[in-house]
């Protein structure tokens, strides 16, 4: 067979990929310029397959299908439907995109906008079927054909794609056949010929239909693509203003603060209110045995916090609970490593977590823990109800038993030789070298990590949750949730992939000592598996917050439940935990909205505490960069539809451009004009048609902000905030109030109007940024003296600072990050910093990127430094001196971390190594530096 291709032919890629995928014995020949096709019916640019029989195939899809038929892969009805769809729907859209990319010079992201609906169709199909490929679980001709049409447009890694489309496209692109085909067909010179071929063809016309034409018209503006677009997602803020928009905006402006809802704050404790929107928010409980890194923080607690703050601004009755997940093997393992008891490990790291989240301004209503009496009572009650209803099975499993320790060994208490790659130190659950999952009994030469003996395989009885029996309850509940709730695409896809082949019984017990005891004879020496009772921690933590916890957790008629997590936690929250509650049959509140992120990577790799790579929560404060700047950047790059990466260079760019030059610049100018030109009082305003259009434009951005946040698209909503400040900066630049104030009476009036409108835009931004940067929001509110009744979010932009309103002292909000400082931080966190017991030298005081001074923070730091110093100077306590008990009158909430003085005293008393004591002394120096920075800010340390 001879496959003739013309360089630049649009269909060349898919036929070459199909030939390579099917290992077809074909000779590839490139047509010379002007060479006639082998058949008069064959277009000059089309591929042509000359069969040994002399017949010629010149339909690209027919050629691809022929290659697969030769391999023995018969087409299915579904693969045939995909080929028809590709020919009739995808190819025209792809031609539009290619013309924009190669002829009109658009970026890949801009060109891919023309593929919005086809990409949405592919994503929905993959998610709906729960398969890895278009026509099943294996790659078919449909995958090769569709990929070959998409790849020339989507080859740019910057084009955002949502799950499961992203995983499918990546899997195809990385396959040997597709990668080799791309190398052969899309060489640079072939791309040039590709563009020349397109230039010779008539310009493609967009398909009929107003919605499709509108999407094509927006190609040049580069909207986001690759999710699951629909008509409701059209960017309201980008459309042309209508007279109705302008009239409505002017009317709302004239009504002033009366146009806003009245702020409402629920009493303590927060309980559901009849007739209100009651929102219950949880973050996946962070595991207690380590310090969270930036990816952990954005994946659950920070995302949930931003949404909780938005809900409160909307006057929704909101409760946000979280806590540390403290039971299980990992805690016992960490305790062995550090020579502490599991309880001491939990106390130590719970305090670390609480301190990290406090520094990041996470607004939990309650941050608890799972090692409580309420956790035991509620978990055992749910188990007993499942047992009584026949949803618990017993079975015998083979497990490693250590005679020396006289116990069955959990997976992480076993090491040995990997059965796959022969790595000598594979764990009992996974090999760190080859990455494959392992059953502990499969290890060669296993050894107990506790005593070093060789364990033996012995049978042991365990309890299983009968998921197959519960599936008949789970399926209709899922269908109802997906129809009425807001689940991210990856959450739906992962859930479908779990249930598509049928559920299997899942073990819910472990042979451990640290966990919730199993209340059943014959199993009282076991505890519940952490993934059975850990999600129950949401209930028990709420029970520690209020004795009326059942009004939240047994009230699905009144309560909306939002779960926030990274995608690896999805199956336990969408299948295992709901099955437990459905089987318990006690009117439990189940998740309505499951919000899962992808992964946040660090620069070009992954976070690693052991290798000192990446920023962890307890290190962020030592960088001198304010918590709100961290919050802003993490939410700006939040991995909503695909994995994203933390980048020091990008952090510097976003801080200097978006925060300093855009948002901070506008708010500072608006406030300064009031102070400098009008004595600190908002001037009178006589609005013109240009001002009216600004009001309407800001209103459209505000509505888009609401639309996105109501769908928990936190990252995209942040763009609306920045767009509003861009509109404000442009408004000021065009009208030049600093020049008009020096002119005649009319010019001075115009300067007053522009200043008054601008400072009201700043007042709106003070509220809009609150979910993202609460300390910055508070600073803007203080500078503008924003009335308390305006700290609420409505759907209209109105005049909240009327003429005569007096503002306070205005000062810069952000500081520039210099490249030298960023380079130093990149080097510091690029590997090895975990080895250093003392903090690095402080940043220059002239450049801290901090929020305005917080007197309470200064007072707190002063007290902590004093306590640390007194601890250093005092004689060590006796080793037998007991730690004073926590007073029973302490308010609920996270236990405070022990002071550094306490830490040093205990280390000295225990005869700890000098390095550990030096580490605590280093923390004293860090406290002093932080206090100095805070005091510097209070004396005007910020500069522009």
């Amino acid at each position: 067979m001879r496959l003739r291709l013309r360089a630049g032919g649009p269909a060349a890629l898919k036929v070459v990929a199909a030939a390579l995928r099917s290992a077809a014995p074909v000779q590839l020949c490139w047509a010379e310029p002007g060479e006639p096709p082998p058949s008069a019916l064959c277009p000059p640019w089309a591929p042509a397959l000359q069969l040994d029989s002399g017949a010629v195939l010149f339909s690209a899809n027919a050629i691809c299908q022929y290659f697969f038929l030769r391999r023995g892969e018969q087409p299915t009805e579904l693969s045939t439907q995909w080929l028809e769809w590709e020919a009739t729907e995808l190819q025209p859209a792809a031609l539009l995109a290619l013309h924009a990319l190669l002829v009109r010079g658009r970026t890949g992201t801009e060109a891919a906008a023309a593929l919005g609906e086809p990409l949405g169709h592919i994503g929905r199909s993959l998610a709906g079927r729960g398969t890895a490929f278009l026509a099943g679980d294996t790659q078919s001709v449909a995958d090769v054909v569709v990929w070959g049409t998409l790849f020339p447009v989507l080859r740019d890694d910057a084009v955002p794609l949502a799950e499961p489309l992203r995983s499918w496209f990546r899997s195809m692109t990385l396959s040997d056949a597709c990668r080799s085909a791309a190398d052969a067909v899309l060489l640079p010179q072939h791309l040039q010929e590709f563009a020349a071929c397109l230039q010779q063809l008539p310009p493609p016309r967009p398909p009929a239909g107003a919605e499709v034409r509108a999407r094509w018209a927006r190609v040049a503006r580069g909207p986001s693509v690759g999710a699951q677009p629909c008509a409701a997602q059209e960017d309201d803020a980008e459309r042309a203003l209508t007279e109705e928009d302008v009239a409505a905006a002017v009317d709302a402006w004239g009504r002033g603060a009366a146009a806003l809802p009245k702020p409402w704050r629920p009493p303590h404790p927060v309980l559901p209110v009849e007739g209100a929107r009651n929102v219950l928010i949880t973050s996946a409980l962070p595991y207690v045995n380590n310090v969270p890194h930036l990816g952990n923080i954005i994946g659950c607690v920070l995302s949930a916090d931003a949404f909780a703050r938005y809900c409160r601004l909307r006057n929704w009755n909101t409760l946000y609970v979280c806590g540390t997940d403290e039971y299980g093997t990992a805690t016992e393992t960490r305790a062995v490593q550090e020579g502490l008891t599991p309880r001491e490990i939990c106390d130590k790291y719970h305090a670390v977590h609480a301190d990290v989240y406090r520094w990041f301004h996470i607004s939990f209503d309650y941050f608890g823990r799972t090692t409580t009496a309420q956790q035991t009572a509620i978990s055992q009650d749910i188990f007993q109800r499942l047992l009584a209803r026949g949803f618990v099975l017993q079975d015998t499993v083979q497990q490693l038993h250590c005679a020396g320790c006289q116990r069955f060994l959990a997976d992480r208490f076993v090491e040995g030789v990997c059965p796959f790659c022969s790595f000598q130190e594979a764990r009992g659950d996974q090999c760190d070298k080859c990455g494959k999952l392992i059953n502990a009994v499969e290890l060669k030469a296993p050894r107990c990590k506790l005593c070093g003996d060789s364990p033996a395989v012995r049978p042991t009885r365990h309890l299983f949750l009968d998921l197959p029996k519960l599936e008949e309850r789970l399926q209709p509940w899922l269908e109802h949730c997906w129809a009425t709730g807001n689940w991210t695409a990856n959450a739906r896809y992962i859930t479908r992939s779990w249930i598509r082949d049928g559920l299997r019984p899942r073990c819910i017990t472990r042979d451990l000592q640290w966990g919730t005891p199993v209340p059943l004879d014959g199993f009282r020496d076991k505890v519940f598996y952490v993934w059975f009772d850990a999600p129950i921690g949401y209930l028990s933590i709420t029970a520690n917050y209020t004795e009326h916890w059942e009004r939240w957790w047994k009230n699905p008629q009144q309560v909306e439940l939002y779960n926030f997590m990274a995608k690896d936690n999805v199956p336990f929250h969408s299948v295992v935990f709901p099955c437990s509650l459905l089987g318990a049959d006690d009117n439990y509140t189940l998740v309505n909205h499951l919000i899962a992120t992808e992964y946040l990577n660090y620069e070009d790799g992954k976070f690693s505490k052991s290798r000192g790579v990446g920023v962890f929560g307890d290190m962020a404060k030592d960088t001198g960069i304010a918590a709100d700047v961290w919050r802003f950047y993490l939410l700006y790059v939040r991995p909503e539809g695909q994995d994203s990466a933390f980048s020091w260079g990008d952090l510097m760019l976003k801080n200097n451009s978006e925060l300093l030059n855009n948002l901070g610049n506008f708010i500072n100018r608006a406030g300064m004009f009031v102070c400098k030109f009008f004595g600190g009082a908002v001037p009178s305003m006589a609005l013109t048609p240009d001002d009216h259009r600004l009001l309407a434009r800001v209103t459209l951005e505000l509505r888009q902000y609401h639309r996105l946040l109501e769908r928990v698209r936190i990252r995209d909503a942040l763009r609306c905030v920045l767009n509003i400040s861009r509109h404000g900066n442009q408004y000021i630049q065009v009208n030049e109030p600093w020049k008009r104030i020096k002119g005649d009476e009319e010019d001075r009036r115009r300067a007053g109007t522009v200043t008054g409108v601008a400072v009201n835009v700043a007042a709106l931004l003070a509220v809009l940024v609150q979910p993202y940067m609460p300390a910055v929001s508070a600073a803007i509110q203080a500078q503008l003296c924003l009335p308390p009744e305006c700290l609420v979010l409505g759907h209209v932009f109105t005049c909240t600072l009327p003429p005569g309103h007096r503002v306070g002292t205005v000062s810069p909000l952000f500081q520039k990050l210099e490249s030298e400082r960023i380079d130093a931080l990149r080097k510091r966190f690029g590997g090895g910093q975990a080895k250093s017991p003392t903090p690095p030298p402080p940043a220059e005081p002239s450049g801290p990127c901090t929020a305005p001074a917080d007197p309470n923070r200064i007072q707190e730091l002063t007290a902590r430094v004093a306590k640390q110093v007194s601890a250093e100077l005092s004689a060590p306590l006796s080793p037998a001196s007991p730690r004073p008990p926590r007073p029973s009158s302490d308010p609920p909430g996270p236990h405070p971390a022990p002071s550094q003085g306490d830490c040093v005293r205990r280390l000295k008393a225990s005869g700890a190594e000098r390095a550990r004591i030096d580490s605590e002394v280093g923390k004293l120096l860090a406290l002093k530096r932080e206090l100095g920075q805070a005091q510097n800010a209070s004396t005007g340390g910020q500069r522009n």
Side-chain angles (χ1 to χ4, degrees):
M1 293 185 295
R2 182 173 181 269
L3 179 60
R4 173 193 178 275
L5 299 172
R6 176 178 169 181
L13 179 60
K14 60 185 175 184
V15 294
V16 173
L20 294 171
R21 172 67 175 79
S22 60
V26 63
Q27 179 186 3
L28 181 61
C29 304
W30 292 99
E32 295 294 333
E35 178 185 331
S39 169
L41 298 176
C42 179
W45 48 264
L49 179 65
Q50 294 177 283
L51 304 180
D52 295 337
S53 63
V56 178
L57 300 179
F58 52 82
S59 165
N61 286 4
I63 294 172
C64 294
Q65 199 161 33
Y66 179 79
F67 287 146
F68 275 77
L69 282 170
R70 281 185 56 93
R71 182 184 172 91
E73 297 185 20
Q74 296 293 326
T76 65
E77 181 180 354
L78 185 56
S79 66
T80 301
Q81 290 175 359
W82 275 111
L83 294 182
E84 293 175 355
W85 176 83
E86 186 272 345
T88 59
E89 301 290 337
L90 181 60
Q91 283 190 31
L95 194 59
L96 285 170
L98 284 170
H99 192 272
L101 181 68
L102 298 178
V103 178
R104 302 181 63 186
R106 305 301 185 197
T107 66
T109 301
E110 293 169 341
L115 292 171
E117 182 56 37
L119 293 177
H121 173 71
I122 297 171
R124 289 190 295 271
S125 298
L126 288 168
R129 290 181 54 81
T131 57
F133 296 99
L134 298 179
D137 290 322
T138 58
Q139 196 180 113
S140 71
V141 64
D143 297 284
V144 173
V145 167
V146 173
W147 172 85
T149 302
L150 291 175
F151 182 78
V153 182
L154 302 184
R155 70 182 191 278
D156 183 357
D157 291 337
V159 177
L161 298 175
E163 287 290 4
L165 173 61
R166 181 181 62 84
S167 293
W168 169 83
F169 185 75
R170 177 184 292 175
S171 175
M172 292 297 301
T173 301
L174 294 179
S175 66
D176 291 339
C178 293
R179 187 169 61 248
S180 298
D183 290 341
V185 174
L186 294 181
L187 295 172
Q189 62 266 32
H190 290 168
L191 277 177
Q192 296 172 6
E193 293 162 340
F194 207 168
C197 179
L198 290 172
Q199 287 174 336
Q200 295 172 12
L201 297 175
R205 297 181 56 124
E211 182 184 340
V212 179
R213 286 196 301 270
R215 185 185 301 115
W216 175 244
R218 292 197 302 273
V219 167
R221 293 197 293 270
S224 61
V225 299
Q228 294 184 15
C230 59
Q233 285 179 281
E234 182 171 337
D235 191 347
D236 193 23
E238 288 193 5
R239 65 177 174 83
L241 293 174
T242 66
E243 293 183 5
E244 291 77 8
D245 293 331
V246 175
V250 172
D251 176 69
W253 171 269
R255 287 185 282 139
L260 297 174
K262 300 298 181 185
W264 174 80
R265 296 293 178 266
H268 182 83
V270 182
L271 295 173
V273 175
E274 184 75 32
R277 183 170 183 179
N278 301 295
V279 176
L280 175 59
I281 299 173
T282 69
S283 295
L285 304 182
Y287 208 74
V288 76
N289 71 316
N290 214 330
V291 181
H293 57 64
L294 297 182
N296 303 138
I297 291 169
I298 186 58
C300 52
V301 295
L302 180 53
S303 294
D305 177 69
F307 184 69
R309 289 177 178 276
Y310 171 74
C311 292
R312 296 181 188 120
L313 287 173
R314 293 293 305 277
N315 281 345
W316 297 343
N317 188 42
T318 304
L319 178 68
Y320 176 23
V321 296
C322 189
T324 42
D325 177 10
E326 300 189 350
Y327 282 134
T329 314
T331 301
E332 285 198 23
T333 305
R334 175 66 68 173
V336 171
Q337 292 172 349
E338 298 195 17
L340 301 173
T341 67
R343 169 58 70 183
E344 289 171 334
I345 282 290
C346 292
D347 290 343
K348 171 183 175 180
Y349 282 102
H350 175 82
V352 171
H353 278 263
D355 188 53
V356 167
Y357 304 137
R358 189 181 301 112
W359 187 81
F360 273 96
H361 307 311
I362 307 298
S363 62
F364 303 120
D365 288 289
Y366 187 77
F367 184 73
R369 52 201 309 185
T370 56
T371 51
T372 65
Q374 286 87 345
Q375 175 75 9
T376 299
I378 298 172
S379 297
Q380 291 182 346
D381 176 67
I382 291 175
F383 167 74
Q384 296 283 15
R385 295 182 68 88
L386 288 166
L387 182 67
R389 286 157 179 76
F391 295 122
V392 176
L393 305 174
Q394 298 185 22
D395 200 1
T396 299
V397 299
Q398 299 298 317
Q399 195 170 340
L400 291 174
H401 182 273
C402 179
C405 297
Q406 295 186 350
R407 63 185 291 180
F408 284 97
L409 298 178
D411 297 341
R412 296 195 185 191
F413 287 140
V414 185
E415 284 184 347
V417 179
C418 175
F420 302 103
C421 71
S422 299
F423 179 56
Q424 296 293 310
E425 297 181 359
R427 302 196 314 265
D429 57 350
Q430 188 174 12
C431 175
D432 286 336
K433 183 176 180 181
C434 68
K436 291 186 177 180
L437 299 178
I438 300 173
N439 188 327
V441 298
E442 299 173 339
L443 286 173
K444 299 176 183 178
R447 58 188 178 274
C448 173
K449 290 181 64 174
L450 300 176
C451 69
D453 286 353
S454 298
V457 177
R458 285 177 46 180
T460 179
R461 299 285 290 176
H462 277 286
L463 298 173
F464 290 76
L465 183 62
D466 193 350
L467 291 178
K469 193 173 181 180
L470 286 160
E471 191 169 357
E472 62 184 20
R473 300 189 181 198
L474 179 69
Q475 286 277 16
W477 171 76
L478 282 173
E479 295 300 332
H480 174 74
C481 270
W482 291 342
T484 60
N486 180 18
W487 286 45
T488 52
N490 58 355
R492 294 175 185 244
Y493 174 74
I494 293 169
T495 303
R496 288 190 187 277
S497 67
W498 258 58
I499 65 178
R500 69 171 182 262
D501 297 323
L503 299 176
R504 291 171 295 190
R506 187 170 185 87
C507 186
I508 61 170
T509 53
R510 286 292 186 270
D511 289 294
L512 294 172
Q513 298 172 350
W514 185 246
T516 302
V518 178
L520 183 65
D521 289 342
F523 297 89
R524 296 188 185 275
D525 60 337
K526 304 181 189 296
V527 299
F528 287 121
Y529 174 41
V530 67
W531 266 115
F532 170 74
D533 78 329
I536 299 173
Y538 301 133
L539 285 64
S540 70
I541 289 169
T542 310
N544 278 277
Y545 168 70
T546 173
E547 61 181 328
H548 304 294
W549 65 274
E550 292 183 345
R551 290 177 59 181
W552 284 107
W553 285 104
K554 295 185 180 181
N555 190 6
Q557 296 79 19
Q558 287 188 331
V559 174
E560 283 183 77
L561 174 58
Y562 287 79
N563 286 166
F564 285 80
M565 68 203 66
K567 64 181 178 182
D568 56 333
N569 285 329
V570 166
F572 303 102
H573 288 80
S574 65
V575 176
V576 179
F577 186 40
C579 279
S580 300
L581 298 183
L582 288 167
D585 194 22
D586 200 17
N587 196 40
Y588 280 106
T589 302
L590 277 72
V591 60
N592 305 97
H593 314 277
L594 202 157
I595 314 301
T597 62
E598 299 293 317
Y599 294 137
L600 179 75
N601 297 315
Y602 180 79
E603 294 282 350
D604 296 326
K606 295 183 178 181
F607 292 86
S608 173
K609 187 75 170 179
S610 61
R611 293 186 293 112
V613 175
V615 181
F616 286 71
D618 56 346
M619 304 171 181
K621 65 177 70 176
D622 295 332
T623 63
I625 298 174
D628 269 21
V629 175
W630 285 107
R631 285 177 61 106
F632 166 82
Y633 182 70
L634 291 174
L635 291 166
Y636 191 97
V637 298
R638 182 175 183 261
E640 291 189 356
Q642 61 182 3
D643 291 356
S644 60
F646 171 87
S647 163
W648 284 107
D650 192 48
L651 169 64
M652 179 179 69
L653 177 65
K654 297 302 186 295
N655 176 83
N656 295 348
S657 61
E658 295 291 8
L659 290 184
L660 181 63
N661 294 335
N662 178 15
L663 180 66
N665 180 60
F666 169 70
I667 292 173
N668 186 256
R669 293 172 83 188
M672 286 298 294
F673 290 158
V674 176
C675 296
K676 184 175 181 180
F677 300 148
F678 301 99
V682 176
S684 298
M685 292 166 272
L687 272 58
T688 68
D690 286 343
D691 304 320
H692 296 164
R693 282 189 290 274
L694 174 68
L695 305 184
R697 182 59 65 196
V698 170
T699 299
L700 290 184
E701 293 284 0
L702 173 61
R703 289 176 180 170
Q704 181 72 351
Y705 172 91
H706 282 299
R707 186 178 296 111
L708 291 166
L709 277 176
E710 286 169 359
R711 300 204 307 271
V712 204
R713 288 175 53 182
I714 301 170
R715 180 196 63 198
D716 292 341
L718 179 55
R719 271 54 168 184
C720 297
V721 178
L722 299 174
N723 285 344
I724 290 175
S725 63
R726 267 188 280 272
H727 287 308
N729 274 315
Q730 185 179 20
Y731 175 70
I732 289 176
Q733 284 301 113
V734 168
N735 286 281
E736 299 180 321
W738 63 92
K739 291 183 179 178
R740 292 182 180 270
I741 196 67
K742 301 175 184 177
D744 57 22
E745 184 64 26
E746 182 178 349
D747 278 342
R748 288 195 296 273
R749 279 197 301 269
R750 183 61 189 156
T753 298
V754 172
T755 299
V757 171
V759 79
N760 272 278
V761 174
L764 173 64
L765 288 169
V767 184
L768 293 179
V769 302
Q770 205 271 349
Y772 299 93
M773 296 179 286
V776 169
S777 171
I780 302 171
Q781 294 170 34
Q783 291 182 16
L784 301 184
C785 299
L786 193 64
E789 61 269 20
C790 298
L791 302 181
V792 64
L793 271 176
H795 280 77
V796 295
F797 171 42
T798 189
C799 181
T800 55
L801 304 181
H805 173 87
R806 300 201 66 83
V807 302
T809 301
V810 178
S811 59
L813 297 166
F814 306 104
Q815 295 295 327
K816 184 178 182 181
L817 287 175
E818 302 292 348
S819 58
E820 295 81 4
R821 183 180 177 192
I822 290 299
D823 290 341
L825 289 170
R826 182 187 292 109
K827 181 178 180 181
R828 172 183 166 191
F829 292 100
Q833 80 271 13
K835 301 176 183 177
S836 175
T838 57
E844 291 297 324
S846 61
C849 186
T850 58
D854 182 351
N856 294 331
R857 181 62 175 161
I858 294 175
Q859 183 177 0
E860 175 195 350
L861 288 170
T862 301
R864 289 174 63 185
V865 168
K867 185 175 291 186
Q868 177 81 338
V869 171
S870 64
E872 288 295 315
L873 298 176
S874 64
L877 296 176
S878 165
S881 300
R883 183 180 180 182
R886 177 179 170 85
S888 59
S889 60
D890 279 3
H895 294 205
S899 73
Q900 294 304 121
D902 289 336
C903 293
V904 173
R905 280 197 300 269
R906 287 201 301 272
L907 288 173
K908 287 181 177 179
S910 64
E913 295 178 357
R914 186 65 201 175
R916 292 190 64 189
I917 298 176
D918 289 344
S919 175
E920 298 304 321
V921 174
K923 293 178 181 178
L924 169 64
L925 300 178
L927 283 172
K928 288 183 175 180
R929 284 195 298 271
E930 190 174 356
L931 174 60
Q933 291 175 0
Q935 291 170 334
N936 181 56
S938 71
T939 58
Q942 296 187 77
R943 58 185 176 86
N944 203 358

